[in-house]
Amino acid sequence: MKRTFAKFWQKPEKEETVENNVSPENLSSVDKAMSNLIKMKEATRLLRASAPTVRKYARMGHYKEYRFGDKLVFYNKEEILSFILNRSINPIEPLIP
């Protein structure tokens, strides 16, 4: 029993590799749009800001927020990257004088 149980938890000797056969040219417009969407956690890493700050920038109109249900929120990676580039060219003025 111990021998088969130990084999169950070990990695298989042969690992099958699955290749993605879909090339970028064959993607539909919906698939291309969905491939650019990132979750809140990755958006916070890109912006180096907290989740409330990321949401605030979306409300201010710097980039769009895509909601699927109550909790599932996505952001377009290209929009966030362009916001970062524009912000580095034209820094945001501090809110407190």
Side-chain angles (χ1 to χ4, degrees):
M1 178 74 178
K2 287 185 180 179
R3 187 176 225 177
T4 57
F5 189 70
K7 285 183 180 179
F8 177 73
W9 291 104
Q10 291 176 351
K11 287 187 175 180
E13 293 175 10
K14 286 184 177 179
E15 290 191 24
E16 295 181 21
T17 57
V18 179
E19 294 182 18
N20 191 357
N21 293 334
V22 180
S23 63
E25 296 86 27
N26 295 339
L27 292 175
S28 68
S29 61
V30 173
D31 291 333
K32 286 179 185 177
M34 290 298 288
S35 67
N36 287 335
L37 295 182
I38 57 173
K39 290 186 178 183
M40 169 70 79
K41 192 170 188 176
E42 193 173 343
T44 56
R45 284 187 199 147
L46 281 175
L47 290 168
R48 295 184 183 154
S50 64
T53 305
V54 172
R55 279 192 234 95
K56 180 178 86 172
Y57 288 156
R59 276 195 317 262
M60 291 171 66
H62 294 293
Y63 46 83
K64 285 178 121 181
E65 183 177 68
Y66 301 94
R67 289 191 166 267
F68 299 97
D70 292 335
K71 294 187 177 183
L72 195 58
V73 180
F74 289 97
Y75 299 95
N76 191 336
K77 189 173 186 177
E78 291 177 5
E79 290 177 0
I80 289 180
L81 291 175
S82 67
F83 167 66
I84 292 170
L85 289 174
N86 289 337
R87 186 174 64 175
S88 65
I89 294 171
N90 303 322
I92 299 173
E93 295 179 15
L95 298 175
I96 302 171

